[in-house]
Amino acid sequence: MRHDFYTYHHSIRVATYAVAIALEMGLKEEDSLNELALGAIFHDIGKKYLPISLLHKTGQLNEEEWAQIRSHPELGRDSTKNLAFGHVPSEIIIHHHEKLDGSGYPHGLENEAIMTEVQIVTLADVFDALTSVRSYQKKRTNFGALDFIKQKLLGEKIAREPFKALISSLADKEK
């Protein structure tokens, strides 16, 4: 929180969305939900090793800056490897920027090689980023973010089942 107030709050929101998505997908075991939440809360922990000026840059990033940004999953994994996080949180930290089509980073994983829990956090991360005020983009409404994901990312980069669960979790449950 002291390094980057935005990333701290973003991580809490991502964890909240991720647990809501998992519950909608039928994940009910408390230990599994705790591991998912832990991984989501710490998914961006590697950003604490990046300059705050880079994290809040308003203009376009150059290649060197992109390389620094793309290093944060590995920095996060390295900084937590001696903690008793377990497999799922560690996978979330290192792979939350992987995409179904292999275009993500740091390992270019595809489809089933990306754990379901990672896919859930990836979607929660994208959704929160789209619905938040950021230095380089305007905040979208929930509907605008869901529409963007559906039109530009769904199926190729983002998994369908978590997306449907996100929609369901956001829907008004009152009758």
Side-chain angles (χ1 to χ4, degrees):
M1 184 170 84
R2 283 177 287 212
H3 181 65
D4 184 18
F5 193 72
Y6 169 80
T7 300
Y8 170 77
H9 285 281
H10 163 71
S11 297
I12 299 301
R13 290 189 305 269
V14 168
T16 303
Y17 288 129
V19 170
I21 292 166
L23 288 168
E24 286 293 327
M25 291 175 65
L27 184 62
K28 304 286 186 219
E29 186 189 306
E30 188 175 343
D31 288 345
S32 297
L33 291 169
N34 286 337
E35 284 190 326
L36 177 73
L38 184 65
I41 287 169
F42 286 96
H43 78 283
D44 274 342
I45 191 70
K47 287 185 176 180
K48 79 176 192 169
Y49 301 103
L50 301 178
I52 196 71
S53 59
L54 176 62
L55 297 177
H56 291 269
K57 184 174 177 179
T58 55
Q60 200 168 19
L61 300 178
N62 63 38
E63 282 300 314
E64 181 182 320
E65 292 166 331
W66 267 118
Q68 282 185 278
I69 291 290
R70 286 190 299 265
S71 73
H72 83 271
E74 291 168 312
L75 292 169
R77 179 211 45 213
D78 293 347
S79 72
T80 60
K81 68 181 173 190
N82 293 327
L83 302 176
F85 270 13
H87 182 68
V88 171
S90 296
E91 283 292 306
I92 290 169
I93 291 166
I94 188 69
H95 291 131
H96 69 277
H97 283 289
E98 300 289 353
K99 302 295 185 263
L100 295 178
D101 64 1
S103 65
Y105 61 90
H107 300 121
L109 300 180
E110 296 181 44
N111 299 311
E112 294 82 30
I114 306 169
M115 292 176 62
T116 299
E117 294 88 346
V118 174
Q119 293 177 25
I120 289 169
V121 174
T122 298
L123 172 59
D125 187 28
V126 169
F127 181 76
D128 185 69
L130 291 171
T131 57
S132 298
V133 174
R134 303 193 63 165
S135 59
Y136 51 84
Q137 77 175 18
K138 291 178 75 173
K139 174 182 175 177
R140 289 178 169 86
T141 64
N142 286 358
F143 178 80
L146 292 170
D147 188 55
F148 178 87
I149 293 166
K150 181 180 177 186
Q151 299 300 322
K152 305 280 187 188
L153 306 174
L154 192 61
E156 276 187 47
K157 299 190 184 301
I158 299 291
R160 293 182 186 281
E161 187 179 0
F163 180 73
K164 290 176 186 175
L166 174 61
I167 291 170
S168 182
S169 72
L170 293 170
D172 185 5
K173 303 288 185 183
E174 294 181 31
K175 299 226 180 217

